[in-house]
Amino acid sequence: MVQLVEHPQTLTLVKGEKNGSKAPVARKNNQAANGSEITYTIVHEVLGRIRCRIERIFSDRQYVQRLQGLIGSDKNFSKVRFNYPARCVIVYYPDDAQPSKVRSRLIDLIQLAGIDNIPLRVTVKSREQSDRKICGLALQLPVLATTLSLLSGPFGLGIPQIIIRGTIAIAALPVVGRALEGIFRERRLNVDFLDLSALTITTIQGHLITSSSMLALIQLGESIRDLTARSSENQTQDLLSSLAQFVWVERNGGKEEIPLEEVQPGDIVIVYPGEQIPIDGTILRGTALIDEQKLTGESMPVVRNQGQAVYATTLVREGQIYVLTERTGAETRAGRTVQLIQDAPVHDTRIENYAAKIADRAVLPTLLLGSIVFAATGSPARAASVLTLDFATGIRVSVPTTVLAALTYAARHGILIRSGRALEKLAEIETIVFDKTGTLTLGRVSVVEIKTTSDRSAREVLQIAAAAEQRITHPVAEAIARQAQTEELEILPRGEWHYHVGLGIEAEINGEIVLVGSQRFLIQEGVSLEELGDRYPDFDSKSVSAIYVASDGKLQGVIQYDDPLRPESLEIVNALRTEIGAEIQMLTGDCASRAAAIAKKLEIKPSNTHAEAFPEQKAEIVQKLHEEGKTVAFVGDGLNDSAALAYADASISFRDGSDVARETADVVLMNNDLHGLVEAIAIARSAKQIIHQNTSIVAVPNLVGFILASTVGLNPMAATAINNGSSVVAGLNGLRPVLQPRKVQAEV
C-alpha cells in the first residue's frame, strides 16, 4: 500500500526568458522522501485538467511508470496522459472536485514517484496482456466442467452430479448472455439460443461430457476470436501539444508574451525563425519560408507573404511574420484534424463471426425440426442431437484459429496486422488510395541531374553550390550537401554571405561571388539565362524543380532536384492493379503539377489523382469512395494522413511513419517497404480461402449427421463426436498459415 509522506513545500516565482522578455510561471521544488529533488512547472491549468512539465519525464521511464501508477490508482484523478517530447504530464479530474486540493495531491505524487523503491499496489499492464488473461479465465470453467465430466464418467470417480452441473451452468453464462441479447436487443433467435437449447437438454438428460465439451469448444472459439482484436488502442496525438505554451503578440504598439490559451481572433501574433505558428491566420507583415510538412506532409517549404494564409503547427524556417489571428485551438485546421480522428467510426475489430451468419439462418428451421423429431419420437435425446449439429461450433473455432494463424504468419514476415477485421477487409479490398510524399516517394528531396552551361563540370557546379549552401536548413540545400558528400567533394570555405528568404543565397567562395537560388533570384541579380535555353532547348523551367547556380554574374548550371519514387513503387502499383485487381488512387497535399508528374510515372489516371488536399479533404475523399460502395484501403505515413487512415476500411502505414499514423493504421509494414502491402493482401486472401474450406469441412459431416438424427436417430454423444470432430479437423486446417514455410502468393 502506498503511504504518502508530507513534505514542507515552498512556492517561488521564476521568470521564463525569451528574447529579453520575462513571463512568470509557478514552480515548486520539493524534496522527495529519498532526498532527490523533483523540479516541475505547472504549465497550464483549467477546471478539470492540469498540465505539468517535469524534465525527468523525458529521461527516466521508471519514474514515469511510478508516477503513472500513483496517479492511475488515485481516486482524485480520472485520467493521465504523458507527452514525452514536451516533458509534460496531463491529468484530468472531475469538474466537481476542488482544484486546489487536486493540485496539491498531484504535487505530492510527483515527489513521491521520485522514490526508487516505492511499493506500488498498481501495475500497469498492456491491453494485449489483459486480453490474454481474460481469454484464459473465460476458458477455465468450460475446461474444468469437461475434466470433471470425464473423471466422473469414464474414470468413475463418483464426483457429485450437482457439482458438475453447477460448473456447466456457471460456464454457460456467457452463452446465456449472448442468447438473451439476441432476443431482447436484436429481437431474433441467434445461434447462441440454439447452443443454449442443446446444452440445456443434454445437461438435463445427463449427457454431461457432451454438454461440457461442446461448451469448451464454443468458448475456445470466442476466446480466440477476442485475441484477433487490436492489441493496441487507437491513440490520437494532439497535433497542438507541441506548440509553445507562450506566444508573442503585438498590443498597444508594443510586444507582449501571453499564454497561448489567451490568444483571441483579431490578435496579431509574431512568429520568429525556428518557431511553429500557433494559430491559423493571415500574414499582415513580413515574408517567411514555411515548412508545412506536419500539416500537409509535403517536404518542400513554401514562401508566404503579406495577405497569404498560414496554419497552426507549420514551422517558420526563415523570416519573421506578423499574423492576424483568425482561428485558435480546436478551430484550426490541425485541431479539426484531431477531431476528425476522434469522430471516426469505431468497429468491432474481431473477425466477423461467420458462424453467426451461417447458423442464424438455420436457427428456426433447426428448432422446428427438433420439435418435430421430439413430437414424433418422444425422445429428448434425439431432439438434442438435432440441435447439437448446428454447424456453428466448428466454424466458431476454425475461423478465429485461421485468422490468428494468419496474423502470426504475417508478423513473422514483417507485417503487423492488428486485428481480425483488418485481415477480413484486406481480402476484400477494391480501391487502394496512396498518399504521395513518403509513401509512393522517398519523402525527401534528392539531386537527380546537373546541367552545366559553362566550362565547369557538373562536379564543380555542385561543389560551389554546396559551399554556398553549407549549414542552410532548407531541404534543397541539405540535398545538395548530401550529394556533395556522396561524391566525396571538398566543401570549400565560405566568406561573407547573405540569405534572401524565398529566393536564394549570395556568398563569396574562393574570391568569386556565387549565387544559388531560383530563376527569379538570378534574373533579379542581372544574370542572363539564355545560355541554358541554347544548350538545352528541351529544358522547361515550369515542369522541373531546379535551383540555378551562377558565379561572377555568369550562369554556371542548374541543379535539378525531386522527391524521387520509392524503388519499388512502380512495381507494386502495377502488381496491385493487375494481380490484385485494385483501383489505384493518389491523394496528396502537394501542388497539382508535381502530383500529375508522379501520377504519370505510375500510370494513375488524372481522375484518380487528388492534389492540394488538406487532412480533412483526404478524409472526405476516402469517405466518398466508401459511400460509393467500395472497400477502401488507404496507405500513408504522416500526421496529415491520420484522418484518412481512420476512415478507411483498411489503413496501412510504415514502421518509420509518424506516431499517430502508426497507431491509427490497421496494418504496419515493419520493413518500410511497399512489397509488404502486396503480401499482406495475399495473406488475407489465402486466409479467406482456408475459411471457405473449413466451412465445407464442418458443413458436410454435420449435414450427414443432421439427416441421420432427424430420420433413423443419432445418440447425442455420436452427434457431439461428429460436431466436435469436424471442429477439430477444421481448426487444424486453420493452422496452415503458420505451418507453411513458403510465402503466400496472391490468389485472385
Side-chain angles (χ1 to χ4, degrees):
M1 179 175 177
V2 174
Q3 302 231 338
L4 291 178
V5 180
E6 297 295 333
H7 302 288
Q9 302 173 354
T10 56
L11 175 65
T12 59
L13 281 179
V14 299
K15 302 290 184 179
E17 295 192 4
K18 180 175 182 177
N19 293 344
S21 295
K22 299 180 178 181
V25 292
R27 175 178 294 163
K28 288 184 182 180
N29 293 331
N30 296 344
Q31 294 289 328
N34 63 349
S36 62
E37 181 179 295
I38 307 298
T39 302
Y40 64 89
T41 306
I42 303 295
V43 177
H44 182 233
E45 183 174 359
V46 295
L47 183 63
R49 187 184 69 191
I50 302 173
R51 179 190 290 267
C52 183
R53 182 180 292 116
I54 307 170
E55 289 297 322
R56 191 163 173 175
I57 284 176
F58 189 75
S59 59
D60 189 346
R61 291 301 169 91
Q62 290 184 345
Y63 173 79
V64 172
Q65 289 177 356
R66 292 193 296 270
L67 183 58
Q68 184 175 16
L70 286 168
I71 297 174
S73 61
D74 195 299
K75 63 182 180 181
N76 289 286
F77 304 99
S78 57
K79 182 181 175 184
V80 59
R81 182 167 65 88
F82 289 87
N83 184 329
Y84 296 105
R87 297 160 169 80
C88 283
V89 58
I90 304 96
V91 296
Y92 300 81
Y93 60 90
D95 291 345
D96 58 356
Q98 187 177 349
S100 59
K101 179 182 177 183
V102 175
R103 188 189 316 114
S104 177
R105 182 65 171 174
L106 174 62
I107 292 167
D108 285 340
L109 297 183
I110 288 171
Q111 299 305 320
L112 185 61
I115 303 174
D116 293 337
N117 59 351
I118 182 171
L120 293 178
R121 290 178 297 171
V122 179
T123 56
V124 180
K125 295 184 178 179
S126 70
R127 176 177 166 181
E128 183 176 2
Q129 288 174 320
S130 299
D131 286 348
R132 291 184 183 276
K133 183 176 181 180
I134 291 169
C135 290
L137 291 172
L139 268 174
Q140 286 179 4
L141 278 174
V143 171
L144 176 62
T146 304
T147 304
L148 292 175
S149 300
L150 288 170
L151 292 175
S152 177
F155 292 96
L157 293 185
I159 299 173
Q161 291 264 317
I162 191 171
I163 294 177
I164 303 174
R165 291 173 190 266
T167 306
I168 292 173
I170 297 172
L173 287 177
V175 180
V176 174
R178 293 193 295 268
L180 292 177
E181 183 179 3
I183 294 171
F184 294 108
R185 182 178 295 182
E186 301 171 13
R187 301 193 178 281
R188 65 186 177 90
L189 298 178
N190 58 19
V191 66
D192 291 292
F193 181 82
L194 201 61
D195 289 336
L196 182 60
S197 301
L199 287 168
T200 302
I201 294 173
T202 53
T203 303
I204 291 173
Q205 289 293 308
H207 302 290
L208 302 183
I209 296 177
T210 299
S211 56
S212 59
S213 60
M214 180 181 174
L215 186 58
L217 278 175
I218 291 171
Q219 191 55 53
L220 174 64
E222 287 297 310
S223 296
I224 298 175
R225 184 169 175 254
D226 287 336
L227 287 176
T228 66
R230 286 192 68 156
S231 58
S232 62
E233 294 184 6
N234 185 1
Q235 298 175 347
T236 301
Q237 175 179 332
D238 188 346
L239 301 182
L240 307 178
S241 63
S242 61
L243 296 176
Q245 298 302 312
F246 291 87
V247 298
W248 288 91
V249 296
E250 189 176 62
R251 287 182 178 173
N252 304 319
K255 298 177 182 179
E256 288 183 39
E257 190 179 35
I258 64 173
L260 176 58
E261 290 79 11
E262 294 181 10
V263 176
Q264 300 294 325
D267 282 338
I268 299 174
V269 174
I270 309 164
V271 189
Y272 296 96
E275 292 183 341
Q276 283 184 299
I277 298 172
I279 43 83
D280 286 2
T282 302
I283 298 176
L284 291 180
R285 300 194 302 276
T287 298
L289 184 69
I290 298 177
D291 185 344
E292 297 182 340
Q293 185 171 17
K294 193 169 186 180
L295 188 62
T296 68
E298 298 317 308
S299 55
M300 284 299 301
V302 292
V303 178
R304 295 287 185 240
N305 301 297
Q306 181 179 343
Q308 292 184 298
V310 292
Y311 303 99
T313 73
T314 59
L315 175 69
V316 174
R317 282 183 174 267
E318 301 288 347
Q320 177 180 323
I321 51 177
Y322 292 73
V323 184
L324 177 64
T325 302
E326 295 173 357
R327 292 176 297 277
T328 63
E331 298 302 315
T332 62
R333 280 190 180 273
R336 291 205 301 269
T337 299
V338 171
Q339 192 60 49
L340 269 174
I341 300 171
Q342 293 174 341
D343 292 343
V346 178
H347 301 283
D348 183 350
T349 58
R350 301 176 297 178
I351 189 75
E352 190 171 353
N353 197 338
Y354 286 87
K357 277 188 170 181
I358 296 171
D360 282 357
R361 295 170 188 163
V363 169
L364 288 177
T366 303
L367 286 172
L368 182 61
L369 184 58
S371 300
I372 292 172
V373 170
F374 178 71
T377 64
S379 171
R382 289 181 63 176
S385 296
V386 173
L387 299 180
T388 300
L389 296 160
D390 61 3
F391 302 100
T393 305
I395 301 174
R396 277 181 166 180
V397 174
S398 64
V399 171
T401 300
T402 303
V403 171
L404 197 58
L407 300 187
T408 303
Y409 176 86
R412 289 177 181 174
H413 288 74
I415 304 164
L416 176 61
I417 303 176
R418 292 184 183 273
S419 70
R421 181 184 180 276
L423 189 78
E424 181 182 10
K425 291 300 180 182
L426 277 175
E428 301 170 357
I429 288 302
E430 299 169 310
T431 301
I432 301 176
V433 183
F434 285 94
D435 169 54
K436 178 181 76 69
T437 308
T439 303
L440 291 171
T441 69
L442 291 175
R444 78 176 187 183
V445 176
S446 300
V447 173
V448 293
E449 188 176 358
I450 300 174
K451 297 183 184 299
T452 62
T453 57
S454 67
D455 295 334
R456 275 192 165 103
S457 67
R459 285 172 58 85
E460 289 173 324
V461 171
L462 178 63
Q463 185 178 39
I464 62 171
E469 296 271 29
Q470 59 187 291
R471 295 189 296 279
I472 301 297
T473 59
H474 191 287
V476 176
E478 292 171 347
I480 290 172
R482 280 197 307 272
Q483 186 65 26
Q485 186 177 16
T486 300
E487 297 189 19
E488 299 181 347
L489 298 177
E490 178 189 358
I491 303 301
L492 302 172
R494 180 176 62 185
E496 289 189 17
W497 61 280
H498 182 64
Y499 184 75
H500 302 261
V501 176
L503 293 172
I505 189 168
E506 175 184 354
E508 186 271 317
I509 308 294
N510 272 357
E512 297 179 273
I513 301 301
V514 174
L515 303 176
V516 183
S518 66
Q519 183 185 59
R520 176 179 151 210
F521 178 49
L522 266 66
I523 292 174
Q524 178 180 299
E525 295 298 317
V527 178
S528 172
L529 305 182
E530 292 181 3
E531 182 69 20
L532 181 63
D534 294 339
R535 287 206 182 191
Y536 306 98
D538 296 333
F539 181 82
D540 182 2
S541 61
K542 295 181 180 179
S543 63
V544 298
S545 299
I547 192 166
Y548 294 72
V549 183
S551 69
D552 291 339
K554 182 180 178 182
L555 182 66
Q556 301 298 316
V558 293
I559 299 174
Q560 292 177 232
Y561 60 89
D562 199 0
D563 177 10
L565 285 172
R566 286 176 175 267
E568 74 274 15
S569 288
L570 181 58
E571 173 195 349
I572 295 304
V573 168
N574 287 335
L576 292 171
R577 188 184 289 121
T578 58
E579 296 176 27
I580 304 298
E583 176 189 7
I584 305 299
Q585 302 217 10
M586 185 176 73
L587 270 174
T588 178
D590 206 350
C591 66
S593 60
R594 283 202 287 263
I598 293 295
K600 185 177 180 181
K601 291 179 183 178
L602 296 174
E603 300 178 2
I604 299 174
K605 298 176 184 178
S607 59
N608 289 352
T609 303
H610 313 273
E612 300 176 3
F614 277 94
E616 63 269 27
Q617 294 165 320
K618 290 185 177 183
E620 288 171 7
I621 291 170
V622 169
Q623 285 177 282
K624 183 180 177 181
L625 289 169
H626 184 72
E627 289 167 1
E628 292 173 1
K630 299 175 181 177
T631 305
V632 183
F634 184 84
V635 190
D637 72 322
L639 293 173
N640 58 302
D641 299 320
S642 301
L645 288 165
Y647 282 87
D649 293 297
S651 50
I652 299 97
S653 191
F654 300 93
R655 182 196 65 198
D656 290 347
S658 70
D659 290 343
V660 175
R662 198 169 54 247
E663 285 299 324
T664 306
D666 299 310
V667 181
V668 181
L669 307 180
M670 303 303 290
N671 295 328
N672 295 309
D673 190 313
L674 285 173
H675 284 99
L677 174 57
V678 176
E679 189 171 3
I681 295 174
I683 290 169
R685 293 190 173 186
S686 177
K688 188 174 181 178
Q689 274 197 337
I690 294 173
I691 288 170
H692 290 157
Q693 290 173 4
N694 286 341
T695 303
S696 300
I697 290 172
V698 170
V700 172
N702 278 274
L703 185 59
V704 172
F706 195 81
I707 294 170
L708 291 174
S710 58
T711 54
V712 299
L714 191 66
N715 184 280
M717 191 58 134
T720 302
I722 292 173
N723 189 271
N724 292 0
S726 62
S727 300
V728 171
V729 173
L732 291 174
N733 186 55
L735 291 173
R736 278 200 294 137
V738 291
L739 299 178
Q740 58 185 356
R742 63 183 180 84
K743 284 193 174 183
V744 179
Q745 298 301 317
E747 300 286 351
V748 295

